[in-house]
């Protein structure tokens, strides 16, 4: 379906068409009650939405008179685009991010237990500071210094796979670093009119540097083609572009062996970083498996990960 046709439809109705399209694609079925429950509309309006969808994409659905529901046809082609993260979030937590009520998964799904999800009130202040480009006064608990007062200039949230950080300029140490959100207390927005240039995102070299990591199946694997298939590798390699500031998190999260001679032997190591020499200067690589094994840098890795 052309974008021009969608432009003639109201935003509210586009959202309902999106809902129909998503359920057909990922659940294989949708009915009038789905729309009534999700959007709080009348049954007649839901019928009109389904009729419009059928008009726009007549080959996408068929009506099952016995089940009284529309099912996906063999010729289905989605009329909306979805990212993988959007699809997984909807399946695991519920479709739609604008409704009041309990979020329920669309199918049975189990996600990793979050031991330290961000405190909502703290997250709200941090996100305000990022959006409004303002500094924050905080109380912060670190492993190296205990409880201290800080002024930080946050500009991005970072999910390292285990917990949420905020990337910010630390005025106390005069450098950019990551702060664990759940170690922040009593955040207060400061009323400065402007932020100095050296404290802004544009001045964070590690954040702005993009590195290309070459990941290959670990050489010790008996069937490397399994990993090639799982990760969608091309010519036996997966090229991943990431910010230098988060490279170590990515490598640690995926248990990538970063030792020079692929020396790590644990069963969890399915991948090896082939081009470690091109990543020199990436500061948080000290937390990557095997990268600085046995060195003084490795001993300090906890401090490099997050303040």
């Amino acid at each position: 379906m052309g974008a021009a046709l969608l432009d003639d439809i109201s935003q509210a109705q586009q959202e309902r068409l999106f809902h129909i399209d998503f359920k057909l694609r990922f659940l294989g079925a949708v009915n009038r009650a789905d729309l009534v429950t999700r959007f709080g509309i009348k049954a007649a309006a839901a019928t009109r939405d389904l009729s419009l969808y059928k008009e726009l994409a007549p080959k996408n659905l068929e009506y099952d008179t016995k089940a009284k529901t529309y099912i996906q046809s063999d010729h289905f082609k989605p009329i909306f685009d979805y990212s993988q993260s959007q699809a997984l979030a909807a399946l695991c937590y519920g479709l739609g991010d604008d409704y009041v009520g309990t979020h329920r998964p669309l199918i049975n799904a189990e996600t990793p237990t979050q031991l330290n999800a961000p405190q909502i009130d703290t997250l709200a202040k941090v996100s305000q500071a990022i959006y409004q480009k303002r500094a924050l006064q905080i109380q912060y608990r670190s492993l190296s210094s205990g409880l201290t007062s800080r002024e930080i200039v946050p500009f991005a949230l970072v999910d390292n796979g285990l917990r949420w950080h905020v990337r910010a300029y630390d005025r106390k140490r005069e450098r950019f670093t990551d702060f664990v959100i759940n170690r922040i207390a009593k955040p207060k927005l400061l009323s400065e009119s402007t932020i100095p240039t050296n404290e802004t995102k544009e001045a964070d070299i590690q954040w702005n540097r993009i590195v290309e990591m070459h990941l290959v199946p670990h050489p010790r694997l008996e069937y490397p083609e399994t990993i090639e298939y799982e990760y969608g590798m091309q010519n036996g390699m997966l090229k991943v572009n990431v910010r230098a500031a988060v490279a170590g998190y990515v490598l640690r999260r995926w248990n990538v062996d970063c030792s020079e001679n692929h020396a790590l032997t644990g069963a969890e190591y399915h991948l090896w970083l082939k081009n470690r020499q091109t990543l020199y200067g990436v500061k948080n690589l000290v937390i990557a498996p095997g990268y600085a094994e046995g060195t003084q840098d490795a001993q300090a890795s906890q401090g490099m990960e997050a303040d």
Side-chain angles (χ1 to χ4, degrees), residues 212-215 237-241:
E212 183 178 88
M213 302 188 300
H214 294 174
L215 307 182
M237 178 183 294
L238 179 65
K239 296 181 179 180
V240 183
N241 290 315

Side-chain angles (χ1 to χ4, degrees), residues 58-112:
K59 295 182 178 180
N60 274 9
L61 69 171
E62 299 170 353
Y63 189 69
D64 184 333
T65 54
K66 190 173 183 179
K68 295 184 179 180
T69 190
Y70 285 95
I71 61 174
Q72 182 194 105
S73 75
D74 294 336
H75 306 288
F76 178 85
K77 292 184 179 179
I79 64 176
F80 291 93
D81 295 323
Y82 317 91
S83 67
Q84 290 95 330
S85 58
Q86 183 183 28
L88 287 169
L91 291 170
C92 295
Y93 302 111
L95 181 60
D97 57 5
D98 57 350
Y99 64 95
V100 177
T102 302
H103 293 239
R104 297 178 180 175
L106 297 183
I107 59 175
N108 287 333
E110 186 69 26
T111 55

Side-chain angles (χ1 to χ4, degrees), residues 2-287:
L5 293 176
L6 278 178
D7 290 341
D8 297 330
I9 300 171
S10 70
Q11 178 68 28
Q13 193 164 34
Q14 283 189 47
E15 291 177 2
R16 299 197 294 272
L17 292 174
F18 180 98
H19 186 85
I20 295 169
D21 196 59
F22 188 96
K23 283 207 161 182
L24 281 172
R25 184 175 187 183
F26 291 97
L27 302 186
V30 67
N31 58 37
R32 190 170 59 177
D34 291 332
L35 296 170
V36 172
T37 301
R38 165 68 179 84
F39 296 99
I41 59 177
K42 301 294 185 183
T47 298
R48 288 193 295 271
D49 291 332
L50 286 162
S51 296
L52 176 58
Y53 183 88
K54 192 169 185 179
E55 180 183 334
L56 295 170
K59 295 182 178 180
N60 274 9
L61 69 171
E62 299 170 353
Y63 189 69
D64 184 333
T65 54
K66 190 173 183 179
K68 295 184 179 180
T69 190
Y70 285 95
I71 61 174
Q72 182 194 105
S73 75
D74 294 336
H75 306 288
F76 178 85
K77 292 184 179 179
I79 64 176
F80 291 93
D81 295 323
Y82 317 91
S83 67
Q84 290 95 330
S85 58
Q86 183 183 28
L88 287 169
L91 291 170
C92 295
Y93 302 111
L95 181 60
D97 57 5
D98 57 350
Y99 64 95
V100 177
T102 302
H103 293 239
R104 297 178 180 175
L106 297 183
I107 59 175
N108 287 333
E110 186 69 26
T111 55
T113 301
Q114 188 77 34
L115 297 182
N116 58 350
Q119 297 292 328
I120 291 296
D121 289 340
T122 301
L123 179 61
K125 285 297 181 185
V126 169
S127 62
Q128 287 175 38
I130 293 172
Y131 181 75
Q132 298 177 26
K133 297 182 178 180
R134 293 170 65 179
L136 270 181
Q137 184 181 72
I138 64 172
Q139 297 290 308
Y140 190 73
R141 290 175 171 83
S142 74
L143 293 175
S144 58
S145 306
L147 180 63
T148 59
S149 296
R150 310 277 186 104
E151 285 188 11
I152 65 173
V153 184
F155 62 81
L157 297 177
V158 177
D159 176 10
N160 79 347
L162 297 175
R163 53 190 165 192
W164 283 90
H165 297 170
V166 57
R167 185 73 177 176
Y169 182 80
D170 180 6
R171 288 177 172 173
K172 180 181 179 69
R173 298 189 177 182
E174 298 184 339
R175 63 179 174 89
F176 290 96
T177 190
D178 294 343
F179 292 90
V180 180
I181 292 179
N182 271 5
R183 295 179 185 174
I184 294 175
K186 300 180 180 179
K188 179 182 178 182
L189 289 166
L190 298 180
S191 57
E192 302 172 17
S193 55
T194 58
I195 299 296
T197 303
N198 68 301
E199 298 179 358
T200 63
K201 176 178 64 176
E202 289 70 25
D204 187 347
I205 295 173
Q206 291 287 309
W207 182 263
N208 292 298
R209 178 185 170 189
I210 304 298
V211 296
E212 183 178 88
M213 302 188 300
H214 294 174
L215 307 182
V216 299
H218 201 284
R220 68 167 177 77
L221 294 177
E222 185 176 359
Y223 299 104
E225 62 273 13
T226 300
I227 296 302
E228 291 179 24
Y229 182 82
E230 178 182 350
Y231 288 88
M233 294 182 176
Q234 299 294 324
N235 299 317
M237 178 183 294
L238 179 65
K239 296 181 179 180
V240 183
N241 290 315
V242 298
R243 297 185 185 278
V246 303
Y249 299 143
V250 174
L251 294 165
R252 184 180 62 179
R253 182 178 187 180
W254 293 102
N255 292 320
V256 179
D257 181 352
C258 299
S259 62
E260 189 169 2
N261 298 312
H262 42 79
L264 301 185
T265 58
E268 69 272 25
Y269 299 113
H270 296 165
L271 299 167
W272 176 53
L273 176 65
K274 189 174 184 179
N275 66 329
R276 58 175 277 155
Q277 70 281 358
T278 66
L279 274 62
Y280 289 154
V282 176
K283 291 184 177 179
N284 77 351
L285 278 183
V286 294
I287 67 172

